[in-house]
Amino acid sequence: MNLNEMTVVKTAEAVNNQEISARYLIERTLEQIKNNVKLNAFACTAGAEAFEQADAVDQKIKSGYSLPLAGIPLAVGDNIAYKELPTAYGSAAFRKFKPPFSAAAVEKLIGAGAVVVGKINTGDMGFSSHKALSPAGPVMNPWKENRISESPGSAALAARQCMLALESDSEGSLRQGASSCGMYGFRPTPGRVSRYGLNLSSGSYDQVGFAASTATDMGITFQATSGYDERDILTSVSREAGPKPDPNKAPGEITLAFSPECFDQLDSISAKHLKQFQAKCLDLGFKVVESSLKLLPEALKAFYIIAYAEASSSFARFDGIRFGTAAEADELEDLYYKTRKLTFGHEARRRSVFGTYILSKGNFEQYYQQALKVWTLVRQDFNNAMANCDFLVMPVVSGAAPSGIEENDFLQRIESDIFTAPVSMACLPSLALPAWQEDGLPAGIQLVGHPFSDEILLNVAEMINTETIFPDTDKSAWEEG
Amino acid sequence: MNYEVVIGLEVHVELHTQSKLFCACPNRFVPEPNVNTCPVCLGFPGALPRLNSEAVNLALSASLALNCKVASISYFDRKNYFYPDMPKGYQISQFFEPIGSNGFIDIEDDSGNPKRIRVGRVHMEEDAGKLVHSLAGDMSMVDYNRAGVPLIEIVTEPDLRSSGEARKYLEKLKSHLEYVRVSDCKMEEGSLRCDANISLRPKGSDKLGSKTELKNMNSFKAVEKSLEHEIKRQKKILDAGNLVVTQTLRWDDNSQQTVAMRGKLQAHDYRCFTDPELAPIVLTEEEIEKARVSLPEMAEARACRFVEEYGLPDYDAGVLTASRNVADYFEECLKVYNSPKAAGNWIMGELTAKLNSSGQEIEQCPFRPEHLAELLKMIDENVISGKIAKDVLEKSFESGKSPGQVVSDEGLLQISDQSELETIVDTILENNSDSVENYRSGKTKAIGFLVGQVMKETKGKANPQLVNELLKDKLKK
Amino acid sequence: MTNTRETLEKAIQVIKIEIDPEERNILHDDLIQFLEWLKPLKALDTSGVTPVRFSHVAVNAFRDDQALSCDLKEVRKAAPNFDEGFYTVPPIIE
Ligand SMILES: [Zn+2]
């Protein structure tokens, strides 16, 4: 058995058939994390509790159970609560913080047999590592020196330091990182997967999502985590599950739309690749049409106004009174100022301050209220674009994986979200899947579906069936096995 | 100069629910701090608010009871400010679209003329925690038991013109809210809190003067007193030609005056926006209509009906309907006992006295309406005298036994046996020849003394009517 | 001081984070850039457009009114300053 392929489906099958043990998988994974520490993908790794979990899985299987994610090494975003390990929320002040509860999605994955191998090193207060430096430094891209990954979970996945990652997606970091690491990154329709336990910066846009290495793996993961959770009451829309994929549906019955405006926003190399991908879709038998998306630049601006405003409010709870670390202070004001300085890095400070600026008297109408109106127009824009198709095919980013080392201004980093943030704003499910390689770096496209079409979307991704390639590494704990 | 007083009231009422507004923590008082808390009401990262459906129902009932227009769609908003009693750094409230708006309450003004007080808005919000300051002054302590307790805020337009009107409005408001079972409205326990905005302007002017805000008034009496105090204070300032400073004042019960508040932010820029974690509340016309139809008969209508249907005097009807529980008790009693006047008298008299002295609520006291009916029937049927009945009520109230049980256990049956009473009457007449003489010589009042003696001899159990008849009969001879 | 700078300084005060002068300057420069970037959005004609009020399709997402006490052992452990049942903060004069 070649564990280097490492799909969830095959591995879980092997564990369920007792060909390998969950314990063995966790040992290999932890070793593989050690092999490539300079990737910096993990904020902390699991110890005894992971082996306990793995042994429990092995025990269950011996007593006749079969688990969909048996023994699968899982990495969990550090802005997602997991009570067995420190959950730092990407804050230096929370390095040793253990939350009193675990996120719903973590519980469900563990229930399905997955084993948490560590917490992923997220950016400042959980913001995309592309925009916000983590207190522990940037997460590197395993494909190329001096490149970073917007999604640390995808980096870990590509480096085979886990088989599945649970992360959040707001402006699109999960999809972007999956794309630049050659992996699958999925942002489900809001309400399909419980957000309980995710430290929300923007209630409007933050979602729980996954990085996996195949569409089939993603499907199993989604099945294991989606559905009604009473602790996130907005999942009540999941009481009626979305339409199930029709197994007999041929590509010819599915219409994919490409938007000319997306091509306009791309650099020439990426545009060329996207054209080739379009041709591939035709070859595969899909119906391909054109759909116009007129408001991407405006959507991006409105997105950031709202995201900043919400972040400034959501992170007000970090006051050093009920949880976390409190600064030494003789006066109440001091407690606030100093604790919040300890807690937030530069990006969280920026978002808090800009958000406050946007919401303050005089600015509220011209920025915030205007952004809410533009949001309505953005929804209409996407509704129109999707009226004559089943799925939109959009780029994820223009150009290659970003470099986190050189200084680039924050507006440039915001601009790189032009294809992903508007999709979040439109409340649509979106899957980034590997599409091409350029200069030794992979890139993906986004498959964007109608609301609640998640299952069908993942099914279509299987039909597209692009091959997942892993980067070469000097040393792999898996080859020894 | 002659001034016109302009008062607007903001009343916070605690909703009578089992659990808090956005989490399952119990909504009830406990002396221990931070017991009714959880990650949601403590504002932990990753914990999500979950709206209590009953709180929405109660807010809807309250809005309808106050004659408000109900919003077909309303949202929750975040009011952002820092204070240790506010766990998330924002209060969840309905800032932009309250569930109820444009309502009113009718009261009587100080001269007894009808007056309509406009209710501008009724909205839901969560309560804050409580700060306690250490005696040593080295720290403050926070108790989050109240954080997240469901409230409605009821805001009047500046329509009140005197402290008396303010009190009448509050009484009416309390009655309305009790009637729809939205809250128990106990001001002393903090389930009804009142803030007032008050300003004075020259009579005839339609421009508002600069206002002060009064907080921390913990009883209806305190509201009236502090408003009066503040009216006098502002008058003095204006008479001296000075301007009233806009500020927040607190009523100090000990010194019986208003004092300026320090500490908390005075001028607010709350930076409000709609909470992205809470779905909108959508109410259809049918749902609103259904709630309207199921509202109970309110105090005023009920009082009118009591006058018409039961022939009660206006005053009695007013007293009996002031509280829904009392009115319910009364009508429950009438189901098995058909003398409204007597039932009313006993409720307003003996029963109320007993409730007051024992500190119990009518709906919880062991003396149930059917007990009262039984007691009154025994009086009517001469089983016991009215005087004995008072003792029976007392004993029944304390023991929970039915009045019939009390009467038989204590041997309190009325003596209506003619021969038995005749023997006693004869003895009394023999032993009180003076009184007999007096009566016969025309001082007919002396019979009262003789009746008393018989009652004393029988420990009150003698049928008074029969005693009277026997005495008169024998004294004629 | 410019209007933007003044509002920015006020925002820093309102949001209660200690930020050193150098970073304030960076934030100011970034804010100027950001506001410039937002200009086309401000100029967009949105007259007659109803603002979005909620991102999600869910409405009336309610919970039944049932009380449940929470196990507070782990919750209290998370507090930096907890004393005799109270969360404690520096003294406040009200
Ligand atoms: Zn709670």
Side-chain angles (χ1 to χ4, degrees):
Chain A
M1 187 181 322
N2 181 4
L3 278 167
N4 245 338
E5 284 177 17
M6 289 187 60
T7 74
V8 168
V9 179
K10 284 181 190 160
T11 312
E13 195 181 278
V15 176
N16 279 321
N17 293 338
Q18 298 183 44
E19 292 161 38
I20 47 170
S21 70
R23 176 172 266 270
Y24 171 78
L25 282 170
I26 301 314
E27 280 168 0
R28 295 292 93 192
T29 304
L30 291 173
E31 196 181 321
Q32 180 71 351
I33 294 171
K34 269 188 213 139
N35 280 343
N36 196 350
V37 181
K38 65 177 195 298
L39 202 60
N40 202 22
F42 285 86
C44 72
T45 47
E49 68 288 337
F51 289 111
E52 256 170 54
Q53 270 176 29
D55 291 346
V57 169
D58 287 330
Q59 206 50 51
K60 255 192 159 172
I61 284 158
K62 275 193 193 121
S63 52
Y65 286 92
S66 174
L67 296 164
L69 300 175
I72 299 304
L74 167 72
V76 177
D78 209 14
N79 55 343
I80 298 172
Y82 176 48
K83 66 177 182 196
E84 305 300 333
L85 286 176
T87 294
Y89 306 117
S91 166
F94 281 75
R95 237 171 241 150
K96 288 178 186 152
F97 180 75
K98 276 199 180 176
F101 55 87
S102 291
V106 174
E107 283 181 354
K108 283 198 172 180
L109 290 170
I110 292 174
V115 178
V116 180
V117 291
K119 296 302 298 282
I120 308 168
N121 179 12
T122 58
D124 179 20
M125 291 310 287
F127 296 124
S128 157
S129 59
H130 174 34
K131 292 175 198 75
L133 207 58
S134 149
V139 175
M140 304 315 292
N141 190 313
W143 283 92
K144 206 168 188 178
E145 290 271 309
N146 296 334
R147 297 290 177 147
I148 62 136
S149 167
E150 303 89 329
S151 148
S154 299
L157 190 65
R160 286 158 279 186
Q161 295 181 334
C162 66
M163 289 193 198
L164 196 61
L166 175 68
E167 274 189 340
S168 68
D169 183 277
S170 192
E171 64 264 36
S173 57
L174 168 59
R175 285 164 284 162
Q176 290 170 19
S179 165
S180 67
C181 291
M183 298 290 125
Y184 286 74
F186 185 40
R187 174 191 170 92
T189 308
R192 292 304 305 275
V193 178
S194 171
R195 300 196 291 183
Y196 178 75
L198 168 65
N199 179 24
L200 288 180
S201 158
S202 161
S204 290
Y205 304 134
D206 290 2
Q207 285 302 324
V208 161
F210 314 94
S213 58
T214 70
T216 319
D217 286 2
M218 196 63 88
I220 289 169
T221 309
F222 181 68
Q223 208 184 352
T225 47
S226 60
Y228 176 65
D229 171 36
E230 60 167 15
R231 295 164 298 179
D232 177 358
I233 202 90
L234 296 183
T235 56
S236 55
V237 293
S238 291
R239 277 173 167 153
E240 307 114 49
K244 287 279 162 294
D246 175 359
N248 299 318
K249 213 163 194 179
E253 295 165 81
I254 293 159
T255 309
L256 305 179
F258 288 74
S259 152
E261 290 85 357
C262 287
F263 284 100
D264 298 345
Q265 295 279 350
L266 285 176
D267 67 24
S268 58
I269 296 172
S270 303
K272 180 196 81 190
H273 282 299
L274 187 61
K275 265 273 171 288
Q276 283 168 0
F277 188 82
Q278 190 174 345
K280 182 192 165 182
C281 290
L282 273 170
D283 286 348
L284 285 168
F286 290 103
K287 269 193 216 140
V288 173
V289 296
E290 241 184 37
S291 262
S292 185
L293 280 173
K294 297 186 179 69
L295 286 174
L296 292 178
E298 290 77 8
L300 182 66
K301 294 180 200 322
F303 178 97
Y304 268 98
I305 288 174
I306 293 161
Y308 282 179
E310 290 183 3
S312 74
S313 160
S314 298
F315 288 167
R317 70 190 65 211
F318 289 88
D319 58 6
I321 299 175
R322 294 159 309 281
F323 50 82
T325 315
E328 283 288 327
D330 298 331
E331 281 175 31
L332 181 65
E333 290 297 287
D334 253 16
L335 176 72
Y336 285 128
Y337 278 87
K338 289 182 177 158
T339 301
R340 290 165 63 72
K341 182 189 186 161
L342 288 177
T343 305
F344 304 140
H346 179 67
E347 181 66 17
R349 291 199 284 266
R350 183 214 307 285
R351 291 193 186 209
S352 291
V353 172
F354 284 15
T356 307
Y357 180 92
I358 286 161
L359 288 173
S360 58
K361 253 181 213 155
N363 290 329
F364 180 82
E365 282 292 327
Q366 54 173 336
Y367 292 113
Y368 189 75
Q369 200 65 14
Q370 172 76 345
L372 294 184
K373 288 180 183 170
V374 172
W375 193 354
T376 299
L377 300 177
V378 171
R379 277 183 179 177
Q380 286 165 2
D381 196 28
F382 272 91
N383 276 345
N384 294 340
M386 298 204 69
N388 64 342
C389 71
D390 299 302
F391 297 95
L392 276 173
V393 179
M394 293 174 70
V396 182
V397 282
S398 175
S403 151
I405 311 298
E406 75 215 28
E407 283 272 322
N408 55 358
D409 73 300
F410 91 106
L411 268 186
Q412 217 174 311
R413 293 192 298 250
I414 289 179
E415 293 268 20
S416 66
D417 300 331
I418 187 140
F419 302 116
T420 48
V423 173
S424 306
M425 203 171 198
C427 238
L428 304 173
S430 168
L431 176 77
L433 53 105
W436 62 80
Q437 287 222 0
E438 175 70 37
D439 192 23
L441 273 168
I445 58 98
Q446 281 186 93
L447 198 57
V448 179
H450 290 272
F452 300 100
S453 69
D454 306 68
E455 284 88 352
I456 301 175
L457 189 157
L458 294 171
N459 188 240
V460 170
E462 276 184 69
M463 292 182 188
I464 295 172
N465 189 28
T466 47
E467 193 194 352
T468 310
I469 322 166
F470 291 92
D472 287 329
T473 42
D474 306 339
K475 193 179 168 198
S476 172
W478 296 106
E479 276 153 20
E480 290 158 23
Chain B
M1 206 197 296
N2 253 337
Y3 296 103
E4 184 177 43
V5 175
V6 179
I7 299 170
L9 293 182
E10 288 171 16
V11 176
H12 287 89
V13 176
E14 184 180 319
L15 296 176
H16 202 287
T17 57
Q18 296 298 309
S19 59
K20 289 186 179 180
L21 187 51
F22 298 116
C23 63
C25 286
N27 175 21
R28 66 176 139 76
F29 176 79
V30 277
E32 256 176 288
N34 293 302
V35 172
N36 291 343
T37 58
C38 73
V40 177
C41 56
L42 291 172
F44 270 62
L48 299 164
R50 300 184 294 141
L51 179 57
N52 183 342
S53 58
E54 182 62 9
V56 177
N57 292 339
L58 294 180
L60 172 61
S61 299
S63 300
L64 293 170
L66 303 178
N67 310 297
C68 284
K69 183 184 175 322
V70 173
S72 57
I73 179 159
S74 61
Y75 300 85
F76 281 102
D77 309 299
R78 293 181 179 181
K79 231 168 126 177
N80 293 283
Y81 68 95
F82 288 92
Y83 209 62
D85 63 5
M86 192 56 73
K88 298 178 293 296
Y90 56 82
Q91 180 194 26
I92 303 176
S93 178
Q94 294 190 298
F95 183 80
F96 296 107
E97 286 102 358
I99 187 161
S101 57
N102 295 319
F104 61 84
I105 286 184
D106 289 328
I107 62 162
E108 280 177 2
D109 68 12
D110 292 340
S111 343
N113 299 316
K115 179 169 180 180
R116 177 157 289 186
I117 306 301
R118 290 171 299 157
V119 172
R121 56 189 288 150
V122 175
H123 70 251
M124 286 179 265
E125 63 183 31
E126 55 176 348
D127 205 353
K130 216 177 122 196
L131 276 167
V132 184
H133 308 292
S134 77
L135 288 172
D138 58 339
M139 61 177 177
S140 294
M141 297 167 291
V142 204
D143 172 11
Y144 292 107
N145 277 344
R146 288 199 65 88
V149 162
L151 306 176
I152 47 172
E153 183 176 340
I154 300 152
V155 186
T156 71
E157 301 294 341
D159 290 350
L160 298 156
R161 293 290 170 269
S162 71
S163 57
E165 286 187 15
R167 205 204 60 233
K168 278 184 205 148
Y169 164 81
L170 286 173
E171 280 166 358
K172 260 293 172 54
L173 177 68
K174 180 176 144 101
S175 153
H176 277 49
L177 296 177
E178 277 177 353
Y179 258 79
V180 291
R181 303 240 187 274
V182 156
S183 173
D184 52 18
C185 294
K186 286 184 187 137
M187 218 169 169
E188 295 72 21
E189 290 171 24
S191 58
L192 188 151
R193 284 171 287 174
C194 177
D195 299 338
N197 286 302
I198 171 165
S199 65
L200 265 53
R201 64 183 170 198
K203 265 225 162 88
S205 159
D206 54 0
K207 236 177 75 189
L208 286 174
S210 58
K211 63 179 184 186
T212 54
E213 197 183 349
L214 282 178
K215 283 185 183 290
N216 199 35
M217 301 174 284
N218 53 13
S219 67
F220 285 3
K221 210 180 265 169
V223 172
E224 209 171 357
K225 266 191 191 166
S226 52
L227 283 172
E228 264 158 33
H229 181 276
E230 183 57 16
I231 291 167
K232 271 187 208 140
R233 194 187 70 90
Q234 290 195 13
K235 209 178 227 167
K236 225 184 213 169
I237 296 172
L238 293 173
D239 279 342
N242 295 322
L243 283 175
V244 172
V245 180
T246 301
Q247 60 181 334
T248 305
L249 302 163
R250 165 174 80 80
W251 174 248
D252 188 60
D253 238 353
N254 296 323
S255 63
Q256 295 281 303
Q257 58 181 351
T258 53
V259 288
M261 274 177 87
R262 287 186 293 169
K264 240 179 189 175
L265 286 174
Q266 290 264 352
H268 294 297
D269 178 3
Y270 285 127
R271 295 168 289 126
C272 289
F273 70 96
T274 302
D275 194 311
E277 294 168 14
L278 285 157
I281 301 163
V282 175
L283 295 165
T284 62
E285 267 319 307
E286 295 80 66
E287 284 166 326
I288 297 169
E289 221 25 65
K290 211 177 130 197
R292 197 193 306 278
V293 169
S294 63
L295 281 183
E297 182 187 23
M298 303 298 273
E300 281 156 61
R302 206 168 186 183
C304 288
R305 182 167 61 81
F306 279 16
V307 172
E308 239 164 67
E309 199 175 323
Y310 304 132
L312 292 180
D314 286 349
Y315 175 81
D316 291 13
V319 173
L320 288 171
T321 55
S323 147
R324 177 174 170 188
N325 288 332
V326 173
D328 284 353
Y329 190 101
F330 172 72
E331 292 207 277
E332 204 55 42
C333 178
L334 291 194
K335 278 185 191 162
V336 279
Y337 175 74
N338 200 11
S339 175
K341 181 70 188 149
N345 282 340
W346 276 79
I347 290 169
M348 293 187 292
E350 295 308 313
L351 183 59
T352 301
K354 192 66 202 150
L355 287 168
N356 288 344
S357 66
S358 70
Q360 291 194 63
E361 299 294 337
I362 196 163
E363 67 274 19
Q364 284 144 3
C365 83
F367 192 73
R368 304 313 309 145
E370 54 277 16
H371 292 150
L372 179 61
E374 189 186 340
L375 186 75
L376 296 175
K377 271 186 197 159
M378 285 196 284
I379 300 172
D380 289 356
E381 291 162 4
N382 289 326
V383 179
I384 51 171
S385 67
K387 191 162 175 298
I388 291 286
K390 291 178 184 178
D391 295 344
V392 174
L393 185 149
E394 174 117 14
K395 291 196 167 104
S396 177
F397 191 104
E398 258 142 39
S399 64
K401 283 185 202 164
S402 76
Q405 190 72 41
V406 171
V407 167
S408 75
D409 284 3
E410 311 261 331
L412 295 172
L413 272 184
Q414 182 156 286
I415 305 167
S416 298
D417 183 275
Q418 184 133 0
S419 59
E420 192 183 342
L421 277 180
E422 256 191 85
T423 324
I424 299 165
V425 166
D426 286 345
T427 322
I428 296 295
L429 290 176
E430 242 167 70
N431 296 343
N432 295 282
S433 48
D434 289 1
S435 301
V436 175
E437 274 310 303
N438 285 341
Y439 182 84
R440 285 187 174 145
S441 65
K443 291 177 184 162
T444 49
K445 272 189 183 165
I447 197 166
F449 174 76
L450 293 166
V451 172
Q453 290 303 306
V454 177
M455 295 313 273
K456 197 172 164 192
E457 185 65 26
T458 59
K459 295 193 175 92
K461 289 186 285 181
N463 180 331
Q465 227 173 326
L466 202 53
V467 171
N468 248 308
E469 278 165 25
L470 280 171
L471 278 170
K472 277 185 187 158
D473 203 40
K474 288 189 188 271
L475 287 164
K476 269 185 209 160
K477 287 171 191 167
Chain C
M1 214 186 313
T2 64
N3 221 344
T4 308
R5 182 81 197 208
E6 214 171 294
T7 314
L8 174 77
E9 293 295 336
K10 216 183 123 201
I12 293 172
Q13 215 178 337
V14 165
I15 205 69
K16 297 191 193 295
I17 311 173
E18 196 175 285
I19 298 176
D20 59 42
E22 199 183 328
E23 191 177 342
R24 282 169 195 247
N25 288 337
I26 296 172
L27 287 178
H28 179 241
D29 294 347
D30 284 357
L31 182 60
I32 299 275
Q33 270 192 67
F34 184 58
L35 298 179
E36 188 63 33
W37 182 68
L38 291 178
K39 269 190 179 156
L41 188 82
K42 267 168 77 181
L44 200 70
D45 182 13
T46 54
S47 46
V49 178
T50 320
V52 167
R53 293 296 301 281
F54 192 63
S55 70
H56 208 272
V57 292
V59 293
N60 294 344
F62 299 144
R63 164 181 66 86
D64 290 340
D65 183 24
Q66 273 165 355
L68 201 76
S69 285
C70 175
D71 179 4
L72 292 167
K73 214 178 93 211
E74 298 298 319
V75 173
R76 288 179 174 181
K77 260 194 227 161
N81 294 302
F82 194 79
D83 190 23
E84 288 181 27
F86 286 101
Y87 294 89
T88 64
V89 294
I92 302 163
I93 311 140
E94 275 186 293

